[in-house]
Structures are given as C-alpha cells and as structure tokens.
Amino acid sequence: MSSIKIKSALISVYYKDNLEPIVKLLAANNVQIFSTGGTQKFIEDLGVSVTPVEEMTTYPSIFGGRVKTLHPAIFGGILYRRELESDVKTAAEYNIPSIDLVIVDLYPFEETVASGASEADIIEKIDIGGISLIRAAAKNFKDVLIVSSREQYGEVEQILSSKKCATDLEDRRLFAAKAFDISSNYDTAIFNNFNAKENIVAFKQSLRKGNTLRYGENPHQQGTFYGDLSAMLEQLNGKELSYNNLVDVDAAVAIMEEFDETAFAILKHTNACGVATGSSVAEAYNKAFAADTVSAFGGVLITNKKMNKEAAEAMHALFFEVLIAPEFEPEALEILKGKKNRILLKQKQKLNSVKQFKSLLNGVIEQDRDLKSDSLEDLKTATKLAPTEAEKRALVFASKIAKHTKSNTIVLAKEGQLLSSGVGQTSRVDALNQAIHKAKAFGFDLNGAVMASDAFFPFPDCVEIAKGEGIHAVVQPGGSIKDQDSIDYCDKNDMTMVFTGVRHFKH
C-alpha cells in the first residue's frame, strides 16, 4: 500500500471555496502548512498557523506576482526522492523541507478568454507557477499527493479524514493522473487560443467531462460522450441517452437552426423524414408527420418553439425516442411524461462549434462546419423563366433540408412542407426516383412541388424526370461543365431553375 503520513503541505489556490474543511483537518493533524498571498491570508483568517513561502525561498513575490514559488527550496521539497539516499542528503545539505501534499489550482484561462477580455488580461491568466507545481507533484506521486482542482476537495477530504492524514500509493497515482488531465487540458486551451491567429497545422482537442454510454453504435461497441451535455440539454424525462440518440439529436438540433419561423422536424438515422413550418407547433408537427408516417416511428422529434398541450396531444400516441424543445408547458409535459421511457430534452443552447472532426485512416480529419444557410438572396435564376415568390420560398425551404440530408440527395417540397427525399444514393437519379416513389406512397401530388439537390446535375436526366412528375421549379448549386444542358431543357419545357453557388455534400 506504501502509506505515507502527511507532515507538510503547500497550499496556493485561486479558488478557495470548500477549502476550509481540508485546512482545518490538516491543522488538527499537526501538518505544517506553507502558503502564499491570498491563500495565506485565507488560512490565517481561519485561525490556522501557516508559514509564508518567503521563509523557505528568502525571496518575496516579485514581478507583479509572476514569480512566487519558482524556487529550488519548494520544487526540491516536492521532487526529491525519499527512497534515494543521495536525494535525502542533498535535501538536508540545502535545508530543503519535504512537502508531502500540494494543493494548487490554475488561473482561469478559459473563463478569461470566454469573457472577451483583452489579450493582455488573457496572457496574465497563463499560469506558470501553478502548472509547474502540479506537474512536479504529479511526477513524484510515489511520495507526494497532488490536489489540482477544487473539484477534488470533497474526495480528498474523505481520504484524509478516513486515513488520518495518510495516503496510499493508489491514492497518489490516481490524483497524479487527474493532475495531468488538468494540465494537458490547460495547455491545449492556451495553444488553441494562440493558434486561432497563427494557424499552425496541429490537431489538439481536450474535453475533460465525459459520460460512459450503455454502448456505442451497436451493443458490441463501447461508447463515450465527451463534453458538457448538461450545458446544452436538460433531460426532463426518459431513459439514458444512447450513442445513436446523441447522433440523431445532434442532427436534429443542426437542421432546426435553419429556421426562425415555427418549425418541426422528425429525423431517423440523422436524416429528416418530416420537416414543416406552420402557424403553430401542432400544425407544423402534423404536416411533418404526414410526410412519412412510417419512418416517424421510433424517431427523434424537434421544434424551435415552446411545446404546448395541443401539440403534445397531437403526437402523444406516436412512439418516438426523443423530443427536443426550448420550453415545455406544464400541461404538455404532463401528457408527454405518460410514457416513462420517452426522452424529453429542453434545449438550453445552440450549437457553438465551428469545426467538425472524426477519426480516419489512423488519423483525424477536420473541417469547418457547414454554416452556410441558403437564403432568398442566394438564388440566381439560370433559366429564362424566373420562379414566383412562393416558389422561391419553397426552393429555399427545400435547399435547407437538402443541406442536412445524406448525399446524394434530392428533396421534394412545397412551401413549408417536406414531401419526400431520396437519401444517401450513389446516383442522383436513384435519389430522385426514391423521392418520387415515397411521395406517391404517402399520397402527395407532386404537381407544383419544387426539387432541391445538394450538388449539381451532371446531366439533364433529373430535370427531365421532374418535369414528368409535374415539378416546374428546381434549385441546385450549379457548377457542372454541363450546366447548360439542364438549363436548356428547362427553357424548352417552361421550367425555372435557380443556382445557389454553394454545394452541400454530407457524407
């Protein structure tokens, strides 16, 4: 077990909340405490004896507090190896006291960046002494316990209380690992802040919070979510979110950010099987559900407006996995909680990441998130016939859905309602034929519908098929060397086609 009795401790922290019980516990066990500045005063105000580090170093805090603990008397007391006779002799020769416990945290660098502070203020929150003390104590975990965050105070207090201010090797190694977790996260945050301007080609991400999931995409795969999910979503009901739930929730939140007006979407395996806008949440839901009453079973549902009783009653009979909304009226919540496993999520934040990444070929691939949302202003008429105002609105609506649908995709819609989509096909013609078949299967008349494609048409075959189904308005990015073929066909057949100039592949 290699139990070590703590006889001396160095305490120097930025955050002092919940520190008092540990200080008093150390004092009650006659542990000598060394400290600095504000922490020293905090301890003295508790009526506990404390030795200023200046008595060890013979130097005051200098350079505006930038140098306080960077001294061999302190780092020697942490790093010298108690089992090595030569280290023990050196410590005695230079009158270096042993330090068995180090309680140190770090300046709030990430919080300072997030506050919009000036670069000068941000630089001053790059901790030097604290990070050095943490690494030193963690490195010498055989002899020293490192407490590197206020998050750990409760656990440390329990250990010290139960073991009468002694620690086992297992304790010290665990807290060393936690310390390196904190220090590496801190360094990553600093690098990424600097690299926002320098653009050094390096991939560094650090997320300290994590939840172990029941399993990954399939039961034989292990899964973990890293990040602060509770900051974005509050779960009001239902079972634990699964890996697949989280992937679908992410897709649902992303597509809903396309809409300001009252909207509703139903997703399955990250693709929308129903999307609609309406004068109320209930109307939007009913229109979205009508697009595919089969795939909605077991789906993920989302709206961008408050869930009310009317909407809750409309969807309650449907079996679905997840419902996401910014707010829930009490009556709606009572109805929806009628099924105990139904996951109800209150969305508190929008997506704020600007990058996407995933593992690939024994490495990582990263890209900017597709934050371009097509608008009326983006539509450039390529044909002789221009779309009507109603057709323009329908084309933008369809294009927004195509952006969030797996390529190759074709989306068929009318203003404010998805009729159908062809999803993830290897041929754009196959995607269109799938969409047509699906729309007809659910009783939709495609006369007057519009068609959206996530990428250009290399041949005029899709507009030819669309014309045969009564579709007269088309939106696509454009950019094919054979764009003119599709334009010519449209011009000869009284069709209108607009280009957005932006491709929205999704793989």
Side-chain angles (χ1 to χ4, degrees):
M1 295 291 286
S2 187
S3 178
I4 294 178
K5 180 77 172 179
I6 295 174
K7 298 178 181 177
S8 60
L10 171 63
I11 307 177
S12 181
V13 295
Y14 186 90
Y15 296 106
K16 300 166 184 66
D17 39 315
N18 300 319
L19 180 63
E20 180 179 344
I22 295 178
V23 171
K24 290 186 174 179
L25 181 60
L26 294 173
N29 283 270
N30 299 314
V31 174
Q32 183 178 11
I33 298 175
F34 302 99
S35 192
T36 64
T39 308
Q40 176 187 331
K41 183 179 184 304
F42 173 82
I43 295 172
E44 289 172 340
D45 288 345
L46 295 176
V48 174
S49 177
V50 57
T51 302
V53 294
E54 289 84 353
E55 291 187 15
M56 301 170 64
T57 65
T58 70
Y59 276 89
S61 174
I62 56 177
F63 306 127
R66 283 189 166 196
V67 179
K68 290 182 284 190
T69 57
L70 296 168
H71 193 278
I74 294 174
F75 280 85
I78 295 169
L79 283 166
Y80 88 85
R81 292 156 289 188
R82 278 61 161 174
E83 81 283 2
L84 200 61
E85 186 177 348
S86 59
D87 279 14
V88 174
K89 287 183 178 179
T90 301
E93 179 182 354
Y94 292 100
N95 196 29
I96 296 174
S98 67
I99 298 174
D100 309 313
L101 168 65
V102 175
I103 303 177
V104 176
D105 60 9
L106 299 170
Y107 291 157
F109 179 83
E110 291 178 275
E111 293 87 341
T112 304
V113 171
S115 73
S118 67
E119 184 174 64
D121 288 338
I122 290 171
I123 295 300
E124 287 308 309
K125 288 299 185 289
I126 298 177
D127 207 311
I128 303 300
I131 200 83
S132 302
L133 289 166
I134 286 172
R135 290 178 63 84
K139 176 177 181 176
N140 199 24
F141 68 88
K142 285 187 177 181
D143 301 309
V144 181
L145 175 68
I146 173 63
V147 181
S148 50
S149 168
R150 55 180 170 172
E151 299 169 0
Q152 302 164 10
Y153 289 172
E155 187 178 0
V156 169
E157 182 187 356
Q158 186 177 12
I159 290 171
L160 298 182
S161 179
S162 63
K163 297 180 181 179
K164 299 180 180 178
C165 272
T167 62
D168 299 328
L169 180 60
E170 290 80 2
D171 300 326
R172 299 190 295 275
R173 187 180 182 89
L174 171 62
F175 279 86
K178 292 182 178 185
F180 286 123
D181 173 32
I182 286 173
S183 65
S184 62
N185 179 77
Y186 196 75
D187 285 338
T188 297
I190 294 170
F191 169 77
N192 286 335
N193 177 261
F194 271 73
N195 203 39
K197 293 182 179 179
E198 305 306 328
N199 293 316
I200 297 169
V201 181
F203 179 81
K204 296 183 188 296
Q205 293 291 330
S206 180
L207 296 168
R208 292 193 54 243
K209 291 188 176 182
N211 298 325
T212 301
L213 306 174
R214 284 175 288 163
Y215 51 81
E217 197 164 9
N218 299 292
H220 64 278
Q221 296 170 267
Q222 184 178 343
T224 307
F225 174 82
Y226 296 101
D228 188 2
L229 192 62
S230 63
M232 184 170 186
L233 299 167
E234 179 184 351
Q235 185 163 348
L236 305 176
N237 189 68
K239 60 186 179 181
E240 177 187 348
L241 283 159
S242 70
Y243 179 100
N244 292 329
N245 288 154
L246 290 169
V247 173
D248 284 336
V249 166
D250 179 72
V253 169
I255 194 170
M256 194 50 57
E257 290 188 358
E258 297 286 344
F259 303 99
D260 294 322
E261 65 272 44
T262 300
F264 204 98
I266 304 171
L267 288 87
K268 201 75 171 287
H269 299 296
T270 74
N271 294 301
C273 55
V275 183
T277 58
S279 59
S280 66
V281 175
E283 181 190 356
Y285 163 74
N286 286 325
K287 288 167 64 178
F289 178 63
D292 189 341
T293 57
V294 175
S295 296
F297 182 88
V300 170
L301 283 55
I302 185 168
T303 182
N304 56 357
K305 304 298 181 184
K306 182 188 291 186
M307 275 297 302
N308 56 29
K309 181 181 179 181
E310 180 190 14
E313 288 176 337
M315 67 188 68
H316 182 54
L318 175 68
F319 169 74
F320 57 86
E321 287 276 339
V322 183
L323 171 63
I324 310 153
E327 292 184 80
F328 291 79
E329 289 184 353
E331 297 90 343
L333 202 55
E334 184 179 355
I335 293 168
L336 295 166
K337 282 185 173 181
K339 297 183 180 180
K340 66 177 183 178
N341 287 330
R342 177 183 283 162
I343 299 169
L344 303 176
L345 300 175
K346 178 181 177 180
Q347 184 180 345
K348 299 186 289 185
Q349 293 180 349
K350 291 191 173 184
L351 297 171
N352 56 25
S353 58
V354 295
K355 296 285 186 179
Q356 292 176 316
F357 54 88
K358 63 181 178 179
S359 59
L360 187 150
L361 297 172
N362 296 332
V364 174
I365 192 168
E366 181 186 56
Q367 67 170 353
D368 297 334
R369 268 185 65 211
D370 185 356
L371 298 175
K372 171 60 180 172
S373 182
D374 294 335
S375 66
L376 291 172
E377 291 72 26
D378 295 315
L379 304 184
K380 303 293 185 288
T381 303
T383 51
K384 294 176 182 177
L385 182 64
T388 66
E389 292 304 310
E391 285 175 331
K392 286 180 182 179
R393 292 191 295 270
L395 289 166
V396 169
F397 176 82
S399 189
K400 287 179 176 181
I401 298 171
K403 168 187 169 182
H404 293 272
T405 307
K406 189 171 178 62
S407 300
N408 287 312
T409 186
I410 293 289
V411 169
L412 304 180
K414 291 187 177 180
E415 186 176 352
Q417 184 179 25
L418 169 66
L419 303 184
S420 65
S421 58
V423 177
Q425 298 300 304
T426 53
S427 158
R428 204 157 296 280
V429 170
D430 287 345
L432 175 54
N433 285 330
Q434 182 189 49
I436 292 169
H437 172 79
K438 190 172 180 181
K440 291 180 176 180
F442 289 100
F444 288 109
D445 181 1
L446 291 177
N447 280 293
V450 303
M451 176 172 72
S453 175
D454 60 331
F456 62 65
F457 296 118
F459 306 103
D461 44 12
C462 283
V463 290
E464 292 172 5
I465 296 169
K467 169 66 177 177
E469 298 297 333
I471 296 167
H472 294 279
V474 181
V475 59
Q476 59 141 318
S480 169
I481 59 173
K482 294 188 175 182
D483 276 345
Q484 196 60 46
D485 291 349
S486 294
I487 295 171
D488 289 343
Y489 181 87
C490 289
D491 284 339
K492 291 175 183 177
N493 290 275
D494 297 322
M495 296 177 69
T496 180
M497 179 184 288
V498 297
F499 290 172
T500 63
V502 178
R503 188 182 73 185
H504 291 294
F505 269 165
K506 186 181 180 209
H507 291 100

